[in-house]
Amino acid sequence: MRPVRWCAVVAAGAAAHAAVNAALLRRPSARPPPPGVKVSVLLPVRDEAHRVGPCLAALLQQTAGDRMEIVVLDDGSTDGTTDAIRGALTRGSITRDARLLTGREPPVGWLGKPHACQQLADAADPAAAVLVFVDADVVLSPHAVSAAVDLLQRTGLDLISPYPRQVASGPAPLLVQPLLQWSWLSFLPLRLAERSPRPSLAAANGQFLAVRRTAYDRAGGHAAVRAAVVEDVALLRAVKATGGVGGVVDGTWLASCTMYENWADLSAGYAKSLWAAFGSRGGAVTVAAALTAVYVLPPLAALRGSRAGLVGYLAGVAGRAITARRTGGRVWPDACAHPVSVLLFGWLTARSVLARRRGELVWKGRPVP
């Protein structure tokens, strides 16, 4: 039973660490001032006809005033996205500086999203001191851009990733999506990670990301991460490698994101990236195996009467509950199903690694080389 005790200790430590991080997580101001600098909000879009409307409507309602521009890039969409973008821009305020670009196909060696983001950065107003990248499945609150820029300036950080509230519906998204915030709240020392250049201490989310233009250019922009599947984390690492600082901040009330609406989309999305999420295929397998041991072994032992197993299971539930309360997620009964969530995550990781090995990965109609 010694392995069960060790797993219970790790689970309890992770839950305690999540509580500490939840208290330390940087929060945006509830009444942010308008940006004192020029801001470019950059939106890469590919085949998002059903999502881009609400995203753009929220961007057009930002309180950042005339200090903000919006640049949208249609990256070869084939589903009516272009018409949806034009319709949203037409319905929006005519006083807002917003424009639509047509993207080019990525050259050899580039993945689609980094190439789209680099084109947007190149097209941004040269006077823009802050670049804000937003995904099409994100809906911002009216003060989100102002709050992100204010937090960036108040903290002295070079890059911040205000983590959106993850909206999930259906069994698979409800089981898997909460693991995103749970993972970095439980295992990443947030304040230390902000200033550490270690690649392993980097967490970011490209759904909503603000970066100083000077730090972005110094790091080489998205050209420096042109082949990165997890380009948001790679960009933060590039910024840190060139002397910058940054990391995850609270974006719960600033933004919401419906990342996946069903099992098919979730499975495809995680297959694309999980093999690379922890640095390598070996890293992904190691992390998935360790999480399975820590969060599945104890409840199995508890079913056989192990007190240590029960403690380990309750610690896992506590960590999930702390995360959900802090990030706007649903607490019950989701937290109680934490072992099932971890098992499903392990299966998705194994599927991603195998698909990568077989050369079967495709995303948005493009192969992942």
Side-chain angles (χ1 to χ4, degrees):
M1 298 298 291
R2 184 171 295 177
V4 174
R5 293 193 184 97
W6 278 113
C7 289
V9 168
V10 173
H17 190 248
V20 171
N21 269 340
L24 292 176
L25 186 62
R26 296 188 187 274
R27 296 168 172 82
S29 172
R31 295 176 179 267
V37 296
K38 182 72 175 182
V39 182
S40 289
V41 179
L42 310 176
L43 175 62
V45 181
R46 179 175 170 86
D47 290 341
E48 299 281 6
H50 64 302
R51 288 177 166 175
V52 73
C55 176
L56 267 174
L59 290 180
L60 291 165
Q61 294 169 8
Q62 291 298 301
T63 60
D66 60 3
R67 305 294 288 170
M68 174 184 136
E69 69 165 353
I70 301 169
V71 188
V72 186
L73 183 135
D74 183 8
D75 186 22
S77 298
T78 59
D79 68 342
T81 291
T82 304
D83 291 337
I85 294 171
R86 288 175 176 154
L89 293 179
T90 300
R91 291 189 297 271
S93 170
I94 60 174
T95 62
R96 177 67 74 192
D97 181 5
R99 50 200 165 101
L100 170 63
L101 308 178
T102 299
R104 303 183 302 274
E105 278 297 304
V108 175
W110 284 78
L111 291 181
K113 187 175 180 183
H115 187 241
C117 289
Q118 185 64 60
Q119 291 176 81
L120 284 164
D122 292 341
D125 188 332
V130 177
L131 304 179
V132 176
F133 293 92
V134 180
D135 279 356
D137 51 6
V138 172
V139 176
L140 299 184
S141 69
H143 301 295
V145 171
S146 295
V149 175
D150 175 63
L151 187 58
L152 191 70
Q153 295 179 323
R154 283 193 292 110
T155 59
L157 300 176
D158 294 295
L159 183 153
I160 60 169
S161 176
Y163 220 100
R165 179 173 62 87
Q166 300 296 309
V167 179
S169 61
L174 283 169
L175 282 170
V176 177
Q177 288 304 97
L179 294 179
L180 295 174
Q181 294 103 316
W182 169 80
S183 62
W184 51 262
L185 271 177
S186 297
F187 299 107
L188 186 70
L190 291 180
R191 293 300 176 87
L192 173 63
E194 286 178 352
R195 302 188 179 277
S196 172
R198 292 179 63 87
S200 59
L201 295 181
N205 188 341
Q207 293 170 356
F208 184 23
L209 186 150
V211 58
R212 297 180 191 272
R213 184 63 188 255
T214 52
Y216 180 83
D217 290 342
R218 186 173 62 242
H222 279 85
V225 298
R226 67 189 68 185
V229 174
V230 189
E231 89 294 330
D232 41 16
V233 176
L235 180 63
L236 174 58
R237 288 171 176 165
V239 167
K240 287 184 171 186
T242 51
V245 291
V248 174
V249 299
D250 184 16
T252 302
W253 73 265
L254 297 184
S256 63
C257 177
T258 306
M259 195 171 177
Y260 302 116
E261 298 176 348
N262 53 55
W263 167 251
D265 289 345
L266 182 145
S267 179
Y270 276 89
K272 172 205 61 155
S273 59
L274 274 182
W275 68 270
F278 304 99
S280 66
R281 284 177 290 183
V285 171
T286 300
V287 169
L291 291 178
T292 300
V294 170
Y295 293 102
V296 177
L297 184 60
L300 290 177
L303 293 175
R304 302 178 61 182
S306 168
R307 292 183 179 179
L310 179 61
V311 170
Y313 168 68
L314 292 177
V317 171
R320 276 288 293 273
I322 290 167
T323 298
R325 288 190 182 279
R326 185 63 190 83
T327 60
R330 193 175 76 173
V331 180
W332 312 113
D334 300 30
C336 297
H338 187 57
V340 180
S341 297
V342 172
L343 276 175
L344 185 55
F345 173 80
W347 184 86
L348 288 167
T349 301
R351 182 175 179 273
S352 175
V353 169
L354 289 175
R356 165 69 175 174
R357 180 176 295 176
R358 295 168 180 166
E360 298 172 349
L361 297 183
V362 177
W363 185 243
K364 299 282 188 179
R366 289 171 174 154
V368 179

